[in-house]
Amino acid sequence: MLLSTVACQRTDFDEIMRKQQQQQDQLDSQAARIAALEAAVKLINTDITALKAITTALQQKVSITSYKQTDTGYLLSMSDGTSITLANGKNGTNGTNGTNGKDGINPPAIGVKQDTDGIYYWTLGDSFIIQNGNKLRVTGKDGQNGSNGSNGTNGANGTDGITPLLQVNIAANQWMISYDNGNSWQIVRDASGNPVPATGPSGPQGPSGISGFSIEEGDGIITITYQGITYTLPRAQWQIASGNWHTLFVSPEGNLYGTGQNSYGQLGIGNNTDQNTPVFIMSGVQTVATNGLHSLILKKDGTLWATGYNYNGQLGTANTNSINTPVLVTNNVKAIAAGTVSSFVIKNDGSLWATGMNQFGQLGVGDQQDRHSLTFVTNDVTAVSATYAHTLILKTNGSVYGAGANNSNQLGLNDTNNQTTPVLITNNVKAVAAGYQTYSMILKKDNTLWATGANQSGQLGTGNNTAQSQFVQVTDQVKAISLGTGHSLILKINNTLWTTGANTYGQLSTGNTSNTNQFTQITDKVSLINAGAQHSVMMKSDGSFWAAGYNNYGQLGTGSTGGNAVVLTAVKFN
């Protein structure tokens, strides 16, 4: 009997211990599921932040300066000074066979998709997220332009996009979504209106890494495949801008350097001393524009700064005082261009503004009066090229307009009438360039190059010195153009550099000082070109800089002053 009693007590004790272990196992399983859910939520919300950052960069034309692989994905450094973290996810642990089949995690895949209206919207799975009957925008969209170029107010498509957040309702086993930064939450529902469960059937494996996640680099672009969508962003590159006798460089990180003449403070270094190698000027720069004896600096925050010669009011400071330290002119700027004695600004809303000399109507403001502060010109502008007396304006739809002097048919209108307001020249264009010596070139969307105007130095590259009254095709397979006083540089799609025109100082880099009237290949593996008044600067694909031509003020940056270069010579950065 005693043995029987002890045996029963032992059996009861074992049963109690077994049940306790079972309960502990269930608690451990539940804790593991909750931890997995929390990890999935964290990863999804990280993805949301990254996806919005990428689409914002696309919308605002922000480029990637560099990227590096991390333990959990990639870190992108952007040209506006921000960074984007792309997480590749980590493989989950194997699920166990739970009694209710809820060990495998089944989080909804959140992403973005561009709809037919060109706007990016949030998606859940393959469906757009709907809020109050409307698709949920990832980022906002500019409103309509106001009258006379003032900022448009937010219209039906002008409000900011809402960034959703996800979390798990553990008790109800449901995914929740917030449209107000976590202040209130709603149940995530599928296309049939049913709540999306936070956990799914048992599976052999938990959440895996992001499928198809990759980064590939091409010719000036970086292609990112993330969450099943492919994004193409530009790779931030060096930039070059040349004035009459000075040269400016902007690094991918936004550092500005300058060399050459500084008699009027056009280098913006706080004095008027010339430089024969590039010296550091400032950081935080998005782009620069220079021509003549002044310089324009667009910072990453959208502010415009100007320095240098200002006799005609080209700095836009409401006076004609030259300065040697950059001063703030305006804000909300996305692009700039400098004429020889004028300046042009494209605002964030696409409106064009101009200041400076206007003797020939080159500002396009309807008269021939100089301006000392920025004055509205027209809307829907994407790029401008200007020289001493004429201006080319590229609209967002690919149409080109011209203003200013036309005595040598430099506007390509088949007449010699000056224009004080922009007049339509042609369509299907992606780049424009105005040359000082009364000529112009345009690059069409099919990569063909067209030219018009004076041709006394062979600058049109037509194989003769005959002037043209309208744009004529010169060559093809071109991806970039840059014009000086009377010489022309083009960069072909195969990254070869070709030159034509005036060569008095060796600016064509042909090894002599003879003019030529047809494009001649100079070198290959070129990624960037720029023409000054009588000098040329280029960057090779290996990141090295080279220059040729007039060097009386050290504008070639080779460490010497004078001694013009008839072949490309290395630029020396300190």
Side-chain angles (χ1 to χ4, degrees):
M1 184 181 296
L2 179 60
L3 289 174
S4 176
T5 301
V6 172
C8 289
Q9 289 176 346
R10 180 65 180 178
T11 300
D12 292 342
F13 178 76
D14 289 343
E15 181 64 17
I16 293 172
M17 293 300 294
R18 188 187 67 78
K19 289 182 178 180
Q20 286 181 342
Q21 185 61 49
Q22 185 180 45
Q23 291 173 351
Q24 185 63 49
D25 289 344
Q26 290 175 347
L27 289 173
D28 289 345
S29 177
Q30 178 71 4
R33 289 199 299 271
I34 293 173
L37 287 169
E38 290 175 343
V41 170
K42 184 177 181 180
L43 179 59
I44 289 171
N45 286 329
T46 299
D47 294 341
I48 289 172
T49 301
L51 288 166
K52 181 168 185 178
I54 291 175
T55 50
T56 299
L58 284 168
Q59 199 171 58
Q60 299 179 356
K61 298 182 179 180
V62 178
S63 54
I64 300 175
T65 58
S66 64
Y67 63 93
K68 65 179 180 180
Q69 191 166 10
T70 66
D71 292 339
T72 58
Y74 286 91
L75 178 65
L76 312 181
S77 297
M78 312 303 290
S79 61
D80 62 356
T82 62
S83 61
I84 301 175
T85 300
L86 301 180
N88 59 10
K90 292 184 177 180
N91 289 333
T93 58
N94 291 334
T96 59
N97 292 321
T99 55
N100 294 320
K102 292 184 178 180
D103 294 293
I105 305 304
N106 184 28
I110 195 162
V112 299
K113 184 188 298 183
Q114 191 175 26
D115 205 0
T116 54
D117 57 8
I119 302 175
Y120 283 90
Y121 296 94
W122 290 108
T123 62
L124 194 62
D126 294 325
S127 302
F128 290 113
I129 294 178
I130 305 299
Q131 184 203 20
N132 299 326
N134 298 313
K135 296 189 296 291
L136 200 62
R137 283 192 303 276
V138 176
T139 57
K141 183 180 180 182
D142 293 339
Q144 298 297 315
N145 292 329
S147 60
N148 198 30
S150 60
N151 290 332
T153 57
N154 286 334
N157 293 324
T159 57
D160 290 335
I162 300 172
T163 305
L165 292 177
L166 293 180
Q167 73 173 13
V168 173
N169 183 331
I170 299 295
N173 190 40
Q174 293 173 342
W175 282 97
M176 308 292 290
I177 191 166
S178 173
Y179 301 112
D180 55 9
N181 201 31
N183 292 319
S184 61
W185 295 88
Q186 302 175 24
I187 298 172
V188 177
R189 299 181 183 275
D190 60 21
S192 300
N194 299 315
V196 176
T199 56
S202 291
Q205 190 170 340
S208 61
I210 296 170
S211 61
F213 179 35
S214 65
I215 293 183
E216 297 179 358
E217 189 165 357
D219 186 13
I221 61 172
I222 293 176
T223 302
I224 301 172
T225 301
Y226 189 68
Q227 293 285 31
I229 305 293
T230 297
Y231 308 89
T232 300
L233 292 98
R235 174 67 184 260
Q237 301 181 24
W238 280 88
Q239 301 173 59
I240 310 171
S242 298
N244 275 6
W245 305 296
H246 72 291
T247 308
L248 301 176
F249 302 84
V250 182
S251 75
E253 297 76 26
N255 295 322
L256 175 62
Y257 303 85
T259 188
Q261 189 193 43
N262 194 34
S263 304
Y264 299 94
Q266 56 263 54
L267 295 185
I269 55 178
N271 59 49
N272 294 70
T273 304
D274 295 347
Q275 304 291 324
N276 58 28
T277 58
V279 296
F280 176 77
I281 299 172
M282 67 171 63
S283 59
V285 175
Q286 178 177 324
T287 191
V288 290
T290 184
N291 204 329
L293 305 170
H294 72 293
S295 303
L296 305 177
I297 304 166
L298 176 57
K299 290 201 171 185
K300 292 180 179 180
D301 61 3
T303 57
L304 172 67
W305 300 69
T307 189
Y309 190 63
N310 195 33
Y311 182 79
N312 299 98
Q314 54 262 54
L315 299 188
T317 55
N319 58 54
T320 57
N321 301 323
S322 299
I323 53 177
N324 59 25
T325 302
V327 296
L328 176 64
V329 178
T330 188
N331 54 19
N332 296 320
V333 176
K334 69 176 180 181
I336 53 178
T340 310
V341 283
S342 60
S343 298
F344 295 84
V345 170
I346 302 174
K347 291 272 192 170
N348 288 334
D349 62 1
S351 61
L352 176 65
W353 302 70
T355 186
M357 181 177 171
N358 195 33
Q359 178 181 349
F360 306 95
Q362 60 264 51
L363 297 187
V365 293
D367 57 42
Q368 293 172 271
Q369 301 297 314
D370 290 358
R371 297 293 195 277
H372 297 162
S373 57
L374 291 168
T375 305
F376 173 77
V377 181
T378 186
N379 284 313
D380 301 319
V381 176
T382 188
V384 177
S385 181
T387 182
Y388 181 77
H390 75 288
T391 304
L392 301 178
I393 301 168
L394 179 60
K395 293 263 191 168
T396 53
N397 64 359
S399 59
V400 175
Y401 288 73
N406 194 33
N407 56 303
S408 297
N409 300 111
Q410 56 264 51
L411 298 184
L413 299 171
N414 202 27
D415 62 40
T416 56
N417 301 323
N418 294 353
Q419 303 291 331
T420 60
T421 57
V423 58
L424 178 64
I425 299 173
T426 188
N427 297 298
N428 298 316
V429 176
K430 65 179 180 180
V432 294
Y436 184 95
Q437 212 169 67
T438 58
Y439 72 113
S440 302
M441 290 188 178
I442 60 173
L443 180 59
K444 292 213 169 186
K445 291 180 179 179
D446 63 0
N447 300 317
T448 56
L449 181 66
W450 300 65
T452 189
N455 195 26
Q456 66 270 39
S457 301
Q459 62 264 42
L460 299 188
T462 55
N464 56 51
N465 290 68
T466 304
Q468 300 293 328
S469 60
Q470 291 179 293
F471 281 99
V472 296
Q473 185 175 341
V474 178
T475 186
D476 58 8
Q477 298 299 302
V478 177
K479 70 176 181 179
I481 51 178
S482 186
L483 309 184
T485 295
H487 74 292
S488 307
L489 311 180
I490 63 172
L491 180 62
K492 291 250 186 176
I493 291 175
N494 63 358
N495 297 321
T496 54
L497 168 65
W498 300 66
T499 66
T500 190
N503 196 32
T504 306
Y505 304 98
Q507 57 263 49
L508 299 186
S509 188
T510 55
N512 57 55
T513 56
S514 301
N515 294 355
T516 181
N517 57 27
Q518 61 184 1
F519 282 103
T520 303
Q521 182 177 338
I522 303 302
T523 187
D524 59 2
K525 298 180 180 178
V526 176
S527 59
L528 189 61
I529 60 172
N530 186 260
Q534 294 108 9
H535 73 286
S536 304
V537 187
M538 52 145 283
M539 186 181 80
K540 285 268 198 176
S541 56
D542 63 3
S544 60
F545 291 90
W546 302 78
Y550 192 54
N551 194 37
N552 260 24
Y553 299 95
Q555 59 264 47
L556 300 188
T558 57
S560 65
T561 301
N564 304 329
V566 298
V567 294
L568 290 169
T569 306
V571 177
K572 298 179 180 178
F573 276 81
N574 292 327

